[in-house]
Coordinates of all heavy atoms in Angstrom, one line a residue:
G1 N 100.1 23.4 11.6 CA 101.0 22.9 12.6 C 100.3 22.6 13.9 O 99.1 22.6 14.0
I2 N 101.1 22.3 15.0 CA 100.6 21.9 16.3 C 101.0 23.0 17.3 O 102.2 23.2 17.6 CB 101.1 20.5 16.7 CG1 100.7 19.5 15.6 CG2 100.5 20.1 18.1 CD1 101.3 18.1 15.9
A3 N 100.0 23.7 17.9 CA 100.3 24.7 18.9 C 100.9 24.1 20.1 O 100.5 23.0 20.6 CB 99.1 25.5 19.2
P4 N 101.9 24.8 20.7 CA 102.6 24.2 21.9 C 101.8 24.5 23.2 O 102.2 25.2 24.1 CB 103.9 25.0 22.0 CG 103.6 26.3 21.3 CD 102.6 26.0 20.2
I5 N 100.6 23.9 23.3 CA 99.7 24.2 24.3 C 100.2 23.8 25.7 O 100.0 24.6 26.7 CB 98.3 23.5 24.1 CG1 97.7 24.0 22.8 CG2 97.3 23.7 25.2 CD1 97.5 25.5 22.8
R6 N 100.8 22.6 25.9 CA 101.3 22.3 27.2 C 102.4 23.3 27.7 O 102.4 23.6 28.9 CB 101.9 20.8 27.1 CG 102.6 20.4 28.4 CD 101.8 20.6 29.6 NE 100.6 19.9 29.6 CZ 99.6 20.2 30.5 NH1 99.8 21.1 31.5 NH2 98.5 19.5 30.4
R7 N 103.2 23.7 26.8 CA 104.2 24.7 27.2 C 103.5 26.0 27.6 O 103.9 26.7 28.6 CB 105.2 25.0 26.1 CG 106.3 23.8 26.0 CD 106.9 23.8 24.6 NE 107.4 25.1 24.2 CZ 107.6 25.4 22.9 NH1 107.3 24.5 21.9 NH2 108.1 26.5 22.6
M8 N 102.5 26.4 26.9 CA 101.7 27.6 27.3 C 101.1 27.4 28.7 O 101.2 28.3 29.5 CB 100.6 27.9 26.2 CG 101.1 28.3 24.9 SD 99.7 28.7 23.8 CE 100.5 28.6 22.2
L9 N 100.4 26.3 28.9 CA 99.8 26.1 30.1 C 100.8 26.1 31.3 O 100.5 26.6 32.4 CB 99.0 24.8 30.1 CG 97.8 24.8 29.1 CD1 97.2 23.4 29.1 CD2 96.7 25.8 29.6
N10 N 101.9 25.4 31.1 CA 102.9 25.3 32.1 C 103.5 26.7 32.5 O 103.8 26.9 33.6 CB 104.0 24.4 31.7 CG 103.6 22.9 31.7 OD1 102.5 22.6 32.2 ND2 104.4 22.0 31.1
A11 N 103.5 27.6 31.5 CA 104.1 28.9 31.7 C 103.0 29.8 32.3 O 103.4 30.9 32.8 CB 104.5 29.5 30.4
G12 N 101.8 29.4 32.3 CA 100.7 30.3 32.9 C 100.0 31.1 31.9 O 99.3 32.1 32.2
V13 N 100.0 30.8 30.6 CA 99.3 31.5 29.6 C 97.8 31.0 29.6 O 97.5 29.8 29.6 CB 99.8 31.2 28.1 CG1 99.0 31.9 27.1 CG2 101.3 31.6 28.0
P14 N 96.8 32.0 29.7 CA 95.4 31.6 29.6 C 95.1 31.0 28.2 O 95.4 31.6 27.2 CB 94.7 32.9 29.8 CG 95.7 33.8 30.5 CD 97.0 33.4 29.9
V15 N 94.5 29.8 28.2 CA 94.2 29.1 27.0 C 92.7 28.7 27.0 O 92.3 28.1 27.9 CB 95.1 27.9 26.7 CG1 94.7 27.2 25.4 CG2 96.5 28.3 26.7
G16 N 92.0 29.0 25.9 CA 90.6 28.5 25.7 C 90.6 27.9 24.3 O 91.6 27.8 23.6
L17 N 89.4 27.5 23.9 CA 89.2 26.8 22.6 C 88.4 27.6 21.6 O 87.5 28.4 22.0 CB 88.4 25.5 22.8 CG 89.1 24.3 23.4 CD1 88.2 23.1 23.5 CD2 90.4 23.9 22.6
G18 N 88.7 27.5 20.4 CA 88.0 28.1 19.3 C 87.9 27.2 18.1 O 88.5 26.1 18.1
V19 N 87.0 27.5 17.2 CA 86.8 26.7 16.0 C 87.3 27.3 14.7 O 87.3 26.7 13.7 CB 85.4 26.1 15.8 CG1 85.0 25.3 17.0 CG2 84.4 27.3 15.6
D20 N 87.6 28.6 14.8 CA 88.1 29.4 13.6 C 87.1 29.5 12.5 O 87.5 29.5 11.3 CB 89.4 28.8 13.1 CG 90.2 29.8 12.2 OD1 90.1 31.0 12.5 OD2 90.8 29.3 11.3
G21 N 85.8 29.4 12.8 CA 84.8 29.6 11.8 C 84.5 28.4 11.0 O 85.2 27.4 11.0
S22 N 83.3 28.4 10.4 CA 82.8 27.2 9.7 C 83.7 26.8 8.6 O 83.8 25.6 8.3 CB 81.4 27.5 9.2 OG 80.5 27.7 10.3
A23 N 84.3 27.8 7.9 CA 85.1 27.4 6.7 C 86.4 26.7 7.0 O 87.0 26.0 6.2 CB 85.4 28.7 5.9
S24 N 86.8 26.8 8.3 CA 88.1 26.2 8.7 C 87.8 25.0 9.6 O 88.8 24.3 10.0 CB 88.9 27.2 9.4 OG 89.3 28.3 8.6
N25 N 86.6 24.7 9.9 CA 86.3 23.7 10.9 C 85.2 22.7 10.4 O 85.2 21.5 10.7 CB 85.9 24.3 12.2 CG 85.4 23.3 13.3 OD1 84.3 22.9 13.3 ND2 86.4 22.8 14.1
D26 N 84.2 23.3 9.7 CA 83.1 22.5 9.1 C 82.0 22.0 10.1 O 81.0 21.6 9.6 CB 83.6 21.3 8.3 CG 84.5 21.7 7.1 OD1 84.1 22.7 6.4 OD2 85.5 21.1 6.9
A27 N 82.3 22.1 11.4 CA 81.3 21.6 12.3 C 81.0 22.6 13.5 O 79.9 22.6 14.0 CB 81.7 20.3 12.9
A28 N 82.0 23.4 13.9 CA 81.8 24.3 15.0 C 81.4 23.5 16.3 O 80.6 24.0 17.0 CB 80.8 25.4 14.7

C-alpha cells in the first residue's frame, strides 16, 4: 500500500527513509 506520509508530516511525526533490506528492495 501507500503510507500516508503527508498526513504524518503535517501532524509532526518524524519521518525518515529505509529500504527494508535487499530482499524487499533489490538495490538499497
Side-chain angles (χ1 to χ4, degrees):
I2 302 173
I5 297 302
R6 173 49 58 192
R7 283 159 50 204
M8 293 184 196
L9 293 172
N10 288 349
V13 177
V15 179
L17 285 180
V19 298
D20 198 33
S22 297
S24 300
N25 176 271
D26 294 318

